Amino acid sequence: MPARSFEDVEIWKKAHALVLEVYRLSENFPKHELYGLTSQLRRAAVSIPANFAEGFGKATKPDKLRFYTISQGSLEECRYYLILSMDLNYGDTRALRTMLEEISKMLGSYMYKIRNDR
């Protein structure tokens, strides 16, 4: 049965769970990072499910793929911020990076199917 809402799609569910975990992690970042890394990481994370949701609502294949591609780009941006966070000793981000990898693979497969669906 096809999804009726973006909320029914497993990719969105996992991306939303990632956002919640990113917020939990970044609560412990130093206060001087509030307008720097904390803000950037949170915005990149939120952009993943937000752009997926927006793409889900689009009618045409090119429009859908454009937003899913933006979502994938935000995912990679988020990946870098998680690496940086760990390198700065702001927290252990390995589990979040594993979540990102799973979401990335799922999103790539989803986009492939849309591209090749007749």
Side-chain angles (χ1 to χ4, degrees):
M1 185 164 86
R4 297 200 283 157
S5 165
F6 65 85
E7 293 173 279
D8 298 331
V9 181
E10 197 63 28
I11 297 165
W12 181 87
K13 291 176 186 178
K14 289 182 182 289
H16 178 67
L18 172 79
V19 171
L20 298 176
E21 290 302 317
V22 162
Y23 267 74
R24 286 183 190 102
L25 170 76
S26 61
E27 282 176 1
N28 300 315
F29 284 5
K31 295 300 173 214
H32 69 268
E33 288 289 3
L34 186 59
Y35 300 106
L37 184 56
T38 303
S39 176
Q40 289 292 109
L41 173 58
R42 287 178 172 187
R43 275 193 299 223
V46 167
S47 182
I48 300 165
N51 278 293
F52 183 86
E54 190 164 355
F56 188 88
K58 297 298 180 181
T60 67
K61 230 191 261 196
D63 281 345
K64 286 180 180 298
L65 289 170
R66 185 167 70 90
F67 283 96
Y68 296 156
T69 299
I70 293 168
S71 186
Q72 188 73 47
S74 295
L75 190 147
E76 294 304 327
E77 182 181 3
C78 192
R79 186 187 319 268
Y80 168 68
Y81 295 143
L82 290 173
I83 292 167
L84 179 59
S85 298
M86 191 148 163
D87 288 350
L88 292 170
N89 296 313
Y90 292 169
D92 187 346
T93 63
R94 287 176 290 199
L96 288 172
R97 293 190 343 240
T98 299
M99 289 174 75
L100 269 180
E101 187 59 33
E102 181 183 12
I103 295 163
S104 179
K105 287 177 182 175
M106 291 173 74
L107 184 55
S109 295
Y110 195 81
M111 291 169 67
Y112 179 83
K113 181 169 177 15
I114 289 172
R115 266 190 213 100
N116 297 300
D117 216 11
R118 307 247 183 256

